[in-house]
Amino acid sequence: MNATRFFFLLMLLASITTTTNAQSKYFTRTGTVIFDAEGKLDDIEEIKAKNTTATCVLDAATGQMEWAVTMSKFAFSNSLMQKHFNENYVESEKYPKATFKGKINDISKVNFDKDGTYPIGVIGTMNLHGVTKEVDVKGVVTVEKGKILVNSGFDILLKDYKIDIPTVVFIKIANSAKVSVSAALEILNGK
């Protein structure tokens, strides 16, 4: 059993056993995370990657939210850039996943039974490159015809996660990266 499936199974089991109301759990394994670290000379090369295999579990009753992203699944338009990203910067073999565990503030303001757009704040911890840091981000939950859409965008300082940018490429690669996350979640039990 590969590590991704094992992690998914653990998250699934934990989410099912931690609550008696399974209908309040929403899930996806096709969330999108976009990483953009274009530097001062953004017209030279696009330093942007997309990952469409992010896992997200949301407990609508408590606001608890968890994300897991396999780092090697980020796709760059330039294969050499992708190799450097995995080998030199995020060290995907040593640190295969990035995770976020947090809670939506004022979850009671989101009506999961009524179509609408609900601004949210989320506080939690993100683990990336072996470093865990507290994060506080803004986002939006959209309820649309029984589907739950979550979106957020935030910046991270690469040095905060011990991701070093060599001086030879510091003009091409920014010190901070823009991260965008989005996911369409469905009720965990499929109803």
Side-chain angles (χ1 to χ4, degrees):
M1 178 180 286
N2 71 28
T4 303
R5 287 188 180 153
F6 180 72
F7 180 77
F8 166 70
L9 182 60
L10 284 177
M11 283 182 45
L12 182 62
L13 289 173
S15 66
I16 290 171
T17 59
T18 57
T19 184
T20 57
N21 184 3
Q23 289 190 346
S24 71
K25 302 278 186 171
Y26 294 88
F27 172 80
T28 189
R29 64 179 115 159
T30 59
T32 299
V33 179
I34 297 173
F35 172 89
D36 183 350
E38 289 187 0
K40 297 174 186 172
L41 300 178
D42 62 354
D43 58 332
I44 292 178
E45 282 186 280
E46 181 179 66
I47 314 233
K48 193 175 197 179
K50 185 176 184 178
N51 185 325
T52 58
T53 63
T55 301
C56 177
V57 176
L58 168 64
D59 184 336
T62 65
Q64 290 297 125
M65 177 182 277
E66 293 189 21
W67 285 80
V69 180
T70 303
M71 298 307 293
S72 64
K73 298 291 185 179
F74 277 96
F76 287 80
S77 59
N78 179 322
S79 61
L80 182 59
M81 194 178 299
Q82 187 163 330
K83 180 179 178 180
H84 287 295
F85 174 81
N86 284 298
E87 292 178 2
N88 302 334
Y89 299 112
V90 297
E91 300 175 275
S92 295
E93 283 191 24
K94 187 174 182 181
Y95 307 106
K97 292 215 180 290
T99 60
F100 172 81
K101 294 179 183 181
K103 187 172 183 176
I104 297 174
N105 303 329
D106 295 327
I107 191 65
S108 62
K109 292 182 180 179
V110 179
N111 185 344
F112 289 93
D113 296 320
K114 182 180 178 188
D115 284 3
T117 300
Y118 305 92
I120 58 168
V122 180
I123 296 175
T125 57
M126 185 166 72
N127 181 285
L128 171 64
H129 198 237
V131 176
T132 301
K133 296 199 66 72
E134 188 169 308
V135 294
D136 185 349
V137 298
K138 303 291 183 209
V140 174
V141 172
T142 303
V143 178
E144 188 176 290
K145 298 178 184 171
K147 297 247 188 220
I148 307 302
L149 309 171
V150 293
N151 293 285
S152 182
F154 53 94
D155 292 339
I156 60 169
L157 285 173
L158 299 178
K159 69 178 182 177
D160 284 352
Y161 294 92
K162 297 184 181 176
I163 299 172
D164 297 321
I165 306 302
T167 55
V168 73
V169 294
F170 81 96
I171 289 182
K172 290 182 182 180
I173 302 174
N175 290 324
S176 68
K178 292 177 175 59
V179 178
S180 302
V181 296
S182 61
L185 308 174
E186 295 185 22
I187 282 189
L188 188 60
N189 65 4
K191 291 184 180 177

